[in-house]
């Protein structure tokens, strides 16, 4: 079925750009599901088409249960918002990255809701809600300590003073209004894998832009040509790199070319927006691959020029003595934080300042060990004791850690640690001033400073406050800690005490990974970075993944194009028709199929467990009934026995009385017999 629409307002500009860039193949690759725009025949190449046709025949509606998605995987606050909106008569869906992550069995960073209700209607129905944003207004709803971002179908991105809008009066009778509503919103999103809608009430996933195919093949693709998409919103480049780093996605040649050519446009972004995007990159468990991608696409030189210059210099001088301490720091941070357990931005800003301080003034291993150990233990005495045990082993980090390590007294060690902590504070403050940032790069004359500063002064002061305890009165530092476990609630809130503890742990883990016996792995990683840095040929853009990034996410990357399956393999009907061998092959090479198979196996195991529990319960009931009957029988026997015993006791108690009565009777009879005996005659009576 084809839907005929008149192009108006923003759609006109988009379609003009499509023809100008001649990127129609982008929208219809492999018979894709994206809406296909067809231009009317005409001689003028710059003319605007009056009508465009949208192919609706391949719009997909998938069963979410096929991917193992259950309602328990949706956060409780999100359910509260969805149910209330539905109860009020509005349509409500989960949309964007949370749907993508649920399909991949990943923990979503957050849950975004979209509804047919207007923003003012949403705000009235929730006690704590506020409308924010100018270009993309949304309603932020506070529920159970969480914030759910709710957008409206009526809200469309503003480009200048124009609104991109398609009137419902132009919708033909054969098109479902809800489908049209979802498709219209879908076309304004950034990437195809973020354009999926999920209705948990009916277990349906709606795909209008070929998102499932791209998700299956682990490809990051824009809904419209990449050049046009990134010009509309240059923050999409940062968002795309973050998603690719977290999920191990590969880029098309077009996307890579667009990011490289438009990288400098991120300078036009608001500072708070840059801080937000970097925090999403570095605080949620994918910091190292994110930094690798930023550096690969020349964005690190703009956002973090000092560290970009550091990496470039390291890559051009490969050596066994030169290690990537910078990457190791964020690798160890990734081991501690995840999407559902993020840290506050003060932690990664502190790591950046700490590393800058070491590069500017390298330190003995004993000083770094002591600083990190005291931060971790919360006590000067315990920290020094722990550090002295581990500082004896040589560390391969250079230029940050000095090769020679002299033994120091406690007083000298305290002085050096205080000096290092003061340097970290200065580096944190310098990151808020363009002049100070340029001065700190004096050692890198070949690498120009972008002059971009996005760290707020208040944030730098918080980072400086973390190290205050090590600057003054360090020997009397006795904060202590009750448990070695991380309190992720406090860490996410930016609690200084918890941030200080985790910061010390990350540095200690990094120092442990830099021991000399780790030199082989360090050299291998160094060589990989060196090879990537020298990749300047056009064919390098065809590589699916950066070498270092591949090591981090290789379990998600599809190795060969011929092993990719079409989206139809997700169709349950086709899956039933396949043979067992084909299923095994699909599961072996498809991570999504693997997840589905795991979920099915879990369901089978759960069913077996339920059956076993029921059998167990039935057996227990039988045993209980038998036990009751046995108790009854035993009870009756015991009663009979006790009655007999009582009779015997009673009889035994009457025997002495009977004997006594018998004796008395015998004596009485004897006395009677004596009395009845005739008396003997006297002598006098005989002689008379």
């Amino acid at each position: 079925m084809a839907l005929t629409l008149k192009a108006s307002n923003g759609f006109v500009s988009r379609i003009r750009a499509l023809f100008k860039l001649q990127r129609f193949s982008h929208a219809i690759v492999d018979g894709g599901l994206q809406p296909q725009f067809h231009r009317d025949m005409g001689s003028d190449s710059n003319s605007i088409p009056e009508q465009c046709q949208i192919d609706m025949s391949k719009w997909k509606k998938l069963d979410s249960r096929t991917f193992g998605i259950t309602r328990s995987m949706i956060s409780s606050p999100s359910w509260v918002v969805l149910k209330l909106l539905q109860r009020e008569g509005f349509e409500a869906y989960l949309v964007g990255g949370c749907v993508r992550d649920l399909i991949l069995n990943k923990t979503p960073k957050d849950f975004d809701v979209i509804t047919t209700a207007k923003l003012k209607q949403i705000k009235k129905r929730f006690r704590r809600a506020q409308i924010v944003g100018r270009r993309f207004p949304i309603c932020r709803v506070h529920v159970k300590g969480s914030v759910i971002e709710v957008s409206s179908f009526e809200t469309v991105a503003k480009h200048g003073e124009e609104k991109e809008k398609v009137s419902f009066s132009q919708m033909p009778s054969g098109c479902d209004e809800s489908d049209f509503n979802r498709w219209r919103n879908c076309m304004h999103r950034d990437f195809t894998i973020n354009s999926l809608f999920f209705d948990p009430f009916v277990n349906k996933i709606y795909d209008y832009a070929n998102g499932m195919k791209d998700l299956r093949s682990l490809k990051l693709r824009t809904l419209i040509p990449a050049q046009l998409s990134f010009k509309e919103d240059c923050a999409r480049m940062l968002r795309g790199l973050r998603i690719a780093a977290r999920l191990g996605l590969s880029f098309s040649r077009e996307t890579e070319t667009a990011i490289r050519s438009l990288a400098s446009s991120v300078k036009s972004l608001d500072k708070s927006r840059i801080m937000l995007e970097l925090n999403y990159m570095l605080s949620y468990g994918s910091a190292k691959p994110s930094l690798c991608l930023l550096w690969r696409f020349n964005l690190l030189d703009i956002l973090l020029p000092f560290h970009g210059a550091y990496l470039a210099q390291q890559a051009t001088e490969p050596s066994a003595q030169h290690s990537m301490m910078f990457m190791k720091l964020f690798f160890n941070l990734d081991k501690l934080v995840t999407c559902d357990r993020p840290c506050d931005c003060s932690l990664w800003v502190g790591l950046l300042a700490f590393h800058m301080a070491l590069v500017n003034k390298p330190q003995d291993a004993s000083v770094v060990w002591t600083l990190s150990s005291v931060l971790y233990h919360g006590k000067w005495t315990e920290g020094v004791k722990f550090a002295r045990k581990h500082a004896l082993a040589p560390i391969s980090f250079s230029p940050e850690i000095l090769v020679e390590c002299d033994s120091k007294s406690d007083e000298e060690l305290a002085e050096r640690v205080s000096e290092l902590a003061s340097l970290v504070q200065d580096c944190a403050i310098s990151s808020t001033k363009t002049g100070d940032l340029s001065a700190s790069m004096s050692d890198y004359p070949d690498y120009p400073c972008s002059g971009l500063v996005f760290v707020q002064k208040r944030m730098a002061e918080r980072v400086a406050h973390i190290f205050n305890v090590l600057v003054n009165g360090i020997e009397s530092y006795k904060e202590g800690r009750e448990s070695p476990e991380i309190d992720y609630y406090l860490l996410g809130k930016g609690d200084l005490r918890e941030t200080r503890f985790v910061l010390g742990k990350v540095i200690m883990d990094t120092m442990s990974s830099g021991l000399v016996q780790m030199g082989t792995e360090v050299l291998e990683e160094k060589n990989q970075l060196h090879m990537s840095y020298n990749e300047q040929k056009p064919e390098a853009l065809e590589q699916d993944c950066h070498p270092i990034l591949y090591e981090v996410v290789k379990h998600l990357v599809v190795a060969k194009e011929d092993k990719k399956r079409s989206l139809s393999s997700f169709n349950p009907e086709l899956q039933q028709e396949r043979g067992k061998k084909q299923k095994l092959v699909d599961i072996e090479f498809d991570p999504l199929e693997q997840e589905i198979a795991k979920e099915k196996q879990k369901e089978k195991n759960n069913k077996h467990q339920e059956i076993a529990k029921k059998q167990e319960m039935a057996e227990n009931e039988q045993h209980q009934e038998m036990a009751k009957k046995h108790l009854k029988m035993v009870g009756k026997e015991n009663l009979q026995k006790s009655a007999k015993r009582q009779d015997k006791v009673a009889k035994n108690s009457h025997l002495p009385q009977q004997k006594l009565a018998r004796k008395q009777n015998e004596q009485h009879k004897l006395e009677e017999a004596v009395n009845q005996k005739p008396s003997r005659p006297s002598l006098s009576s005989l002689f008379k």
Side-chain angles (χ1 to χ4, degrees):
M1 176 184 293
L3 172 65
T4 303
L5 299 173
K6 293 181 180 179
S8 64
N9 297 335
F11 269 164
V12 172
S13 62
R14 279 199 171 202
I15 295 172
R16 183 191 292 114
L18 286 172
F19 290 121
K20 187 175 180 180
L21 295 173
Q22 297 180 353
R23 298 292 189 183
F24 289 103
S25 59
H26 176 88
I28 56 176
V29 173
D30 300 329
L33 306 182
Q34 267 192 267
Q36 301 175 4
F37 298 93
H38 303 282
R39 180 180 154 189
D40 290 348
M41 298 298 293
S43 59
D44 186 1
S45 61
N46 293 326
S47 63
I48 301 171
E50 295 180 357
Q51 291 183 336
C52 57
Q53 292 183 346
I54 302 170
D55 186 5
M56 298 170 51
S57 61
K58 295 182 179 180
W59 288 358
K60 289 289 185 179
K61 296 181 182 180
L62 308 171
D63 191 338
S64 63
R65 292 169 292 189
T66 306
F67 308 101
I69 300 176
T70 60
R71 296 191 177 187
S72 61
M73 298 168 68
I74 302 173
S75 68
S76 177
S78 303
W79 267 116
V80 172
V81 175
L82 290 167
K83 289 179 179 178
L84 189 146
L85 290 171
Q86 190 196 52
R87 189 168 63 245
E88 293 291 328
F90 301 108
E91 296 178 21
Y93 308 91
L94 292 175
V95 67
C98 63
V99 184
R100 173 201 70 212
D101 291 343
L102 288 173
I103 293 172
L104 293 176
N105 197 24
K106 298 280 186 180
T107 302
K109 177 178 65 66
D110 48 29
F111 289 85
D112 295 333
V113 175
I114 190 167
T115 178
T116 53
K118 297 180 181 179
L119 292 179
K120 291 182 179 179
Q121 292 175 323
I122 299 169
K123 185 178 180 180
K124 289 180 180 179
R125 281 159 176 78
F126 294 96
R127 181 180 300 177
R128 297 182 59 197
Q130 59 184 108
I131 299 174
V132 297
R134 295 181 180 178
R135 191 181 181 193
F136 300 94
I138 60 171
C139 188
R140 292 170 59 88
V141 179
H142 297 260
V143 182
K144 297 182 178 180
S146 300
V147 178
I148 307 299
E149 293 186 353
V150 185
S151 58
S152 172
F153 280 112
E154 293 296 321
T155 302
V156 184
K158 298 178 182 179
H159 298 275
E161 296 180 354
E162 296 182 355
K163 295 182 179 181
E164 293 187 3
K165 190 173 182 181
V166 179
S167 174
F168 277 101
S169 62
Q170 298 172 334
M171 183 182 64
S173 58
C175 179
D176 180 72
E177 182 177 330
S178 296
D179 271 326
F180 183 80
N181 218 358
R182 291 188 292 264
W183 168 81
R184 186 179 63 166
N185 184 274
C186 160
M187 292 307 297
H188 291 282
R189 297 194 172 271
D190 48 10
F191 303 102
T192 57
I193 61 175
N194 287 344
S195 64
L196 303 170
F197 295 83
F198 175 34
D199 187 348
F201 299 105
V202 295
N203 299 311
K204 291 293 182 184
I205 294 175
Y206 301 92
D207 181 12
Y208 301 97
N210 214 9
M212 287 303 303
K213 183 175 183 296
D214 291 337
L215 190 60
R216 178 188 175 90
S217 59
L218 295 175
K219 287 287 184 181
L220 189 69
R221 187 166 60 87
T222 54
L223 274 156
I224 60 177
Q227 287 277 350
L228 178 61
S229 179
F230 297 151
K231 283 181 179 178
E232 285 184 353
D233 184 6
C234 59
R236 288 175 178 172
M237 291 186 288
L238 299 178
R239 196 180 310 127
L241 294 180
R242 165 168 55 88
I243 296 171
R246 180 168 174 255
L247 302 179
L249 306 181
S250 58
F251 299 92
S252 65
R253 184 187 184 94
E254 178 196 7
T255 304
E256 287 199 354
T257 303
I259 295 176
R260 291 182 187 278
S261 62
L262 298 174
S264 60
S265 63
V266 299
K267 296 179 182 179
S268 63
L269 287 173
D270 186 74
K271 294 180 180 180
S272 60
R273 181 68 183 277
I274 296 176
M275 187 68 180
L276 179 67
E277 292 294 341
L278 278 183
N279 188 52
Y280 286 153
M281 285 185 175
L282 305 180
S283 294
Y284 289 80
S286 58
K288 180 183 176 181
S290 294
L291 290 169
C292 287
L293 285 178
L294 286 173
W295 183 75
R296 175 188 173 188
F297 287 100
N298 303 320
L299 282 163
L300 197 64
D301 297 335
I302 299 172
L303 301 173
L304 301 171
F306 180 89
H307 297 93
Y310 160 84
L311 288 177
Q313 189 180 66
Q314 289 276 48
T316 55
E317 299 177 3
S319 171
Q321 294 181 352
H322 286 257
S323 61
M324 302 305 294
M325 184 179 186
F326 178 68
M327 289 299 182
K328 290 289 185 183
L329 284 168
F330 286 93
F331 172 76
N332 287 299
L333 175 63
D334 288 341
K335 293 194 295 184
L336 300 179
V337 297
T338 58
C339 275
D340 55 339
R341 298 187 305 182
C343 66
D344 181 71
C345 55
S346 59
L347 180 55
W348 59 264
V349 172
L351 285 174
L352 292 174
F354 168 76
H355 182 261
M356 182 185 290
L358 286 183
V359 174
N360 288 335
K361 189 172 182 179
Q363 301 287 331
D364 287 344
S366 60
V367 177
V368 179
W369 269 113
T370 304
L371 180 140
S372 59
S373 180
V374 172
L375 290 176
Y376 177 81
H377 289 93
K379 293 182 179 180
W380 168 256
T381 305
E382 291 184 14
V384 172
K385 184 178 179 181
F386 181 87
R388 289 194 183 280
K389 291 181 180 179
H390 294 79
L392 299 177
I395 302 294
S396 62
F397 290 139
S398 177
E400 297 90 345
I401 305 300
L402 298 175
V403 177
E404 297 181 0
C405 182
D406 300 330
S407 58
K408 299 176 180 61
S409 63
D410 287 355
E411 292 76 11
E412 185 180 1
L413 194 60
E415 183 180 352
R416 293 288 299 276
V417 169
S418 296
E419 181 184 352
L420 176 58
S422 181
L423 286 173
V424 175
Q425 290 179 327
D426 293 340
C427 290
I429 299 299
S430 67
S431 63
T432 65
K433 302 176 182 178
T434 303
D436 292 347
L437 184 61
S438 300
S440 65
M441 294 188 63
S442 58
D443 294 335
Y444 303 100
D446 297 333
Y447 304 96
C449 179
S450 64
L452 178 63
V453 171
F454 59 87
V455 178
Q456 296 179 352
K457 185 177 180 180
R458 184 185 304 174
M459 175 56 61
E461 290 174 351
R462 286 181 60 188
V463 173
H465 192 58
I466 293 174
F467 293 89
N468 271 345
V469 294
L470 302 181
V471 176
N472 299 317
I474 185 172
E475 293 180 330
S476 61
Y477 179 45
K478 296 180 180 179
E479 186 178 58
R481 189 177 179 85
E482 295 180 359
S483 172
E485 299 295 327
I486 299 174
D487 189 329
Y488 283 97
Y489 175 79
L490 295 178
L491 183 65
K493 294 293 183 181
D495 180 77
L496 289 178
R497 190 174 180 182
E498 203 67 26
T499 303
R500 189 180 295 124
F501 168 74
V502 177
L503 183 65
K505 179 173 176 57
V506 170
I507 297 173
M508 286 199 302
D509 291 343
T510 302
M511 293 293 287
S512 298
S513 66
L515 298 178
V516 170
Q517 55 263 33
M518 301 291 289
T520 304
E521 296 180 7
V522 170
L523 179 59
E524 182 179 354
E525 181 179 1
K526 195 73 177 71
N527 290 335
Q528 287 177 346
L529 186 60
H530 175 66
M531 292 172 60
S532 175
Y533 181 75
N534 291 326
E535 286 178 356
Q536 301 296 337
K537 298 180 180 180
E539 53 267 22
L541 299 177
E542 298 179 358
Q543 294 183 357
D544 284 343
C545 194
H546 186 269
I548 297 179
L549 178 62
Y550 179 77
E551 292 298 324
V552 180
V553 294
K554 61 184 178 181
H555 61 285
L556 293 175
V557 177
V558 179
K560 296 181 181 179
E561 292 293 332
D562 59 348
K563 291 179 182 177
K564 298 172 184 176
R565 304 292 189 268
S566 65
L567 187 62
S568 60
S569 63
F570 289 121
N571 192 330
E573 295 179 0
L574 294 179
Q575 286 181 350
Q576 291 177 0
E577 295 176 1
R578 290 177 179 174
K580 293 182 179 180
K581 293 183 180 180
Q582 186 63 35
K583 284 185 178 180
L584 292 175
V585 172
D586 289 344
I587 291 173
E588 181 180 359
F589 295 108
D590 192 344
L592 292 178
E593 292 284 1
Q594 290 178 358
E595 296 299 333
I596 294 171
K598 288 180 182 179
E599 291 297 328
K600 288 182 178 179
Q601 187 61 36
K602 286 181 181 179
E603 289 180 2
K604 288 182 181 179
N605 294 338
N606 292 335
K607 288 181 180 179
H608 288 311
Q609 289 178 358
E610 289 179 2
I611 293 172
K613 286 181 180 179
K614 288 181 180 179
Q615 291 178 351
E616 226 178 304
M617 291 174 64
E619 291 177 358
N620 290 336
E621 289 179 357
Q622 290 179 358
H623 287 308
Q624 289 177 359
E625 290 180 0
M626 293 292 293
K628 288 179 181 178
K629 290 180 180 179
H630 180 69
L631 288 174
K632 288 181 180 179
M633 295 294 293
V634 171
K636 288 181 179 179
E637 293 178 359
N638 290 337
L639 288 173
Q640 291 176 357
K641 288 181 180 180
S642 62
K644 290 180 180 180
R645 287 174 183 170
Q646 289 177 0
D647 292 340
K648 288 181 179 180
V649 170
K651 289 179 180 180
N652 291 335
S653 63
H654 290 303
L655 284 176
Q657 295 178 358
Q658 290 176 357
K659 288 181 180 180
L660 181 61
R662 286 175 185 174
K663 288 182 179 180
Q664 289 177 352
N665 288 336
E666 289 177 359
Q667 188 175 1
H668 183 66
K669 289 178 180 179
L670 195 63
E671 289 177 354
E672 287 182 353
V674 171
N675 293 332
Q676 291 178 0
K677 210 184 251 189
S679 59
R680 296 172 74 177
S682 62
L683 291 177
S684 58
S685 61
L686 287 175
F687 287 103
K688 282 181 178 181

